[in-house]
């Protein structure tokens, strides 16, 4: 049953095991889906999907496989278009509306099916059709005691269901990051570092007992690395210019790092396009609010993990020319590439996260400098997936 669906899920990158698939078939036999496509969707997603990052991928596959099945959840695109640009809510008698629009979910679904067959034009401010700004139990931007929201955004939180909406795009691992994603990623950095670095000098009593038993009673000591907070991180932000569209993203990252409390030491510096003899302690990159780059190289230990955030997009001269700095009054006696290589030579655990989509790195403005910097420092796109790959590389680099 649904064997093609199983293979389609696998083809779209969902790691569905045979045991999970058999569990879904057992759920069908037990009647847990109650002859409802919607119930089957929720049961299948609950059994087959292991992480919220795959919810959107599952939705796409599910819609593709069942696209020809007629069911209540099929909201015509024409109707969704009518619901754009909602009208303002008119005055209403709450008691009258509450008495008229208190339905159970079964009744609401029946009503929506009827309206989908009957409605042929846009309606606003009414009490019957699927519309906006009225007291109908169907539509959005109005008021009803209960209802099914079709499109729009939640306001009164009275909707029993939401039709025509996929909620999980933001969970995709190729999506850009938000503050919560940053916090989880930096927590993961500490966990990975704890497992992979440090001396093996903490006795693991349970494993020692197991291994001693397996060794016919001869003592076999087993050790772990200490779970101490010894992660040191240096974060370098590209500030200003072509990074201006990513200001909000960088602000979220900055706040996530400061709230993480996951590091033994954290240093944050700023630069514009490329760093030369100075790094700045303020995102405005103002003269006087800086520290010498050579001092950072000489005084911070090699244990620091360096994370650079920038679009790597600039005039090639800023990397390759002496005096090529974009700041006219801040002459650089050595090229940007020289300083980049010098920093990486000192801090070998160093990665660069670029907010520009990776597919554009060879075509977007700055493609030449993106390639030059990427040849020195491992570069990853600033997405959930890219951050995970970069932090893994950061930990494993030697």
């Amino acid at each position: 049953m649904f064997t093609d669906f199983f293979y389609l899920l696998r083809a779209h990158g969902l790691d569905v095991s045979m045991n999970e698939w058999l569990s879904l078939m057992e759920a069908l036999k037990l009647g847990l889906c109650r002859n409802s496509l919607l119930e089957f969707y929720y049961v299948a997603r609950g059994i087959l999907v292991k992480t919220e990052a795959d919810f959107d991928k599952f939705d796409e596959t599910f819609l593709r496989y069942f696209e020809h099945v007629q069911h209540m959840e099929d909201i015509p695109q024409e109707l969704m278009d009518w619901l754009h640009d909602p009208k303002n809510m008119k005055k209403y008698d709450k008691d009258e509306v509450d008495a008229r629009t208190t339905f159970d979910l079964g009744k609401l679904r029946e009503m929506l099916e009827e309206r989908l067959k009957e409605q042929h034009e846009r309606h606003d401010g009414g009490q019957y059709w699927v519309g906006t700004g009225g007291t109908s139990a169907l539509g959005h931007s109005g008021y009803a005691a209960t209802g099914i929201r079709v499109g729009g955004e939640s306001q009164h939180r009275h909707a029993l269901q939401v039709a025509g909406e996929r909620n999980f795009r933001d969970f995709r691992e190729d999506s850009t990051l938000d503050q919560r994603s940053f916090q989880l990623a930096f927590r993961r950095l500490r966990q990975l570092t704890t497992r992979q670095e440090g001396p093996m000098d903490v006795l693991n009593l349970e494993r020692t007992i197991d291994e001693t038993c397996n060794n016919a009673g001869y003592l076999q000591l087993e050790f772990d690395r200490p779970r101490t907070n010894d992660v040191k991180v240096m974060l370098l932000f590209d500030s200003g210019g072509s990074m201006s569209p990513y200001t909000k993203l960088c602000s979220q990252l900055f706040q996530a790092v400061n709230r993480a409390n996951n590091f033994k030491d954290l240093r944050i510096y700023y630069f514009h396009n490329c760093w030369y003899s100075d790094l700045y302690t303020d995102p405005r990159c103002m003269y006087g609010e800086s520290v010498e780059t050579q001092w950072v190289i000489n005084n911070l230990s090699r244990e620091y993990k360096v994370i650079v955030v920038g679009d790597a997009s600039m005039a090639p001269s800023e990397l390759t020319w002496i005096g090529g700095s974009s700041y006219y009054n801040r002459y650089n006696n050595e090229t940007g590439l020289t300083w980049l290589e010098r920093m990486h030579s000192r801090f070998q655990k160093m990665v660069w996260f670029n907010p520009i989509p990776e597919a554009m790195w060879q075509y977007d403005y700055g493609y030449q400098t993106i390639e030059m910097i990427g040849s020195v420092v491992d570069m990853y796109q600033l997405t959930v997936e890219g951050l995970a790959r970069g932090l893994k590389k950061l930990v494993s680099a030697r």
Side-chain angles (χ1 to χ4, degrees), residues 211-268:
E211 293 302 319
T212 299
C213 292
N214 294 334
N215 199 32
Y218 289 94
L219 183 62
Q220 177 68 45
L221 297 176
E222 294 292 325
F223 294 92
D224 283 332
R225 292 183 173 88
R227 297 186 63 83
T228 56
N229 189 353
D230 58 357
V231 184
K232 300 177 182 178
V233 172
M234 184 185 344
L235 195 57
L236 305 179
F237 283 106
D238 185 359
S239 180
S242 57
M243 281 295 291
S244 295
Y246 310 109
T247 299
K248 181 179 179 181
L249 184 65
C250 291
S251 176
Q252 290 174 332
L253 190 153
F254 178 85
Q255 294 176 45
V257 171
N258 278 279
R259 293 175 181 175
N261 296 320
N262 288 337
F263 310 119
K264 183 176 182 179
D265 189 37
L266 174 66
R267 304 293 180 104
I268 299 177

Side-chain angles (χ1 to χ4, degrees), residues 189 193 197 230-235 301-307 347 349-351 394-395:
L189 172 61
T193 305
E197 296 185 350
D230 58 357
V231 184
K232 300 177 182 178
V233 172
M234 184 185 344
L235 195 57
S301 72
R302 297 180 182 273
E303 298 174 358
Y304 277 83
K305 294 170 173 55
V306 179
I307 299 172
F347 306 104
K349 298 179 181 180
M350 181 176 181
V351 293
L394 195 66
V395 170

Side-chain angles (χ1 to χ4, degrees), residues 93-256:
D93 183 329
K94 184 177 182 302
D95 292 336
E96 183 273 329
V97 176
D98 286 350
R100 176 169 48 80
T101 60
T102 300
F103 305 103
D104 61 27
L105 183 57
K107 179 61 177 177
L108 287 168
R109 292 167 64 87
E110 180 183 329
M111 291 166 57
L112 181 56
E113 287 181 335
E114 292 174 356
R115 301 302 184 276
L116 291 178
K117 295 175 183 177
E118 300 171 351
Q119 188 163 342
H120 302 292
E121 60 184 353
R122 174 172 181 149
H123 290 273
D124 299 291
Q127 61 182 20
Y128 181 81
W129 299 106
V130 182
T132 70
T135 57
S136 169
L138 308 169
H140 70 87
S141 300
Y143 175 81
T146 59
I148 293 179
R149 177 163 61 86
V150 184
E153 298 181 357
S154 176
Q155 295 186 16
H156 303 290
R157 300 183 182 275
H158 287 183
L160 299 185
Q161 280 193 345
V162 179
E165 183 176 83
R166 282 167 54 205
N167 292 312
F168 308 110
R169 291 186 181 89
D170 290 342
F171 290 132
R172 292 178 64 116
E173 291 191 340
D174 59 353
S175 66
T176 53
L177 294 152
D178 57 16
Q179 188 171 327
R180 175 176 175 271
S181 301
F182 281 127
Q183 290 172 328
L184 292 175
F186 284 117
R187 189 178 306 161
R188 186 183 307 169
L189 172 61
R190 179 185 174 186
Q191 292 169 345
L192 287 172
T193 305
T194 300
R195 289 197 298 266
Q196 299 186 27
E197 296 185 350
M200 301 279 287
D201 58 4
V202 175
L203 181 67
N204 186 314
L205 184 58
E206 291 185 3
R207 203 161 71 238
T208 294
I209 294 172
D210 289 341
E211 293 302 319
T212 299
C213 292
N214 294 334
N215 199 32
Y218 289 94
L219 183 62
Q220 177 68 45
L221 297 176
E222 294 292 325
F223 294 92
D224 283 332
R225 292 183 173 88
R227 297 186 63 83
T228 56
N229 189 353
D230 58 357
V231 184
K232 300 177 182 178
V233 172
M234 184 185 344
L235 195 57
L236 305 179
F237 283 106
D238 185 359
S239 180
S242 57
M243 281 295 291
S244 295
Y246 310 109
T247 299
K248 181 179 179 181
L249 184 65
C250 291
S251 176
Q252 290 174 332
L253 190 153
F254 178 85
Q255 294 176 45

Side-chain angles (χ1 to χ4, degrees), residues 304-374:
Y304 277 83
K305 294 170 173 55
V306 179
I307 299 172
V308 187
V309 180
D311 61 4
S313 301
M314 66 200 83
S317 57
E318 294 187 53
L319 288 179
T320 59
W321 290 6
I322 292 175
S325 169
S326 60
Y327 288 115
Y328 177 78
N329 60 343
R330 300 180 197 175
Y331 187 85
N332 55 295
N333 293 307
E334 295 179 283
T335 67
L337 277 178
T338 299
W339 280 107
L340 183 65
E341 292 168 349
R342 186 175 295 158
M343 180 76 79
H344 195 210
S345 178
R346 173 64 175 177
F347 306 104
Q348 295 184 10
K349 298 179 181 180
M350 181 176 181
V351 293
W352 189 298
F353 292 110
N354 193 327
I356 296 175
E358 187 172 358
M360 299 298 297
W361 289 358
Q362 295 181 346
Y363 310 101
D364 207 356
Y365 167 75
Y367 72 93
Q368 296 166 297
T369 53
I370 291 174
E371 182 179 2
M372 281 190 278
I373 292 174

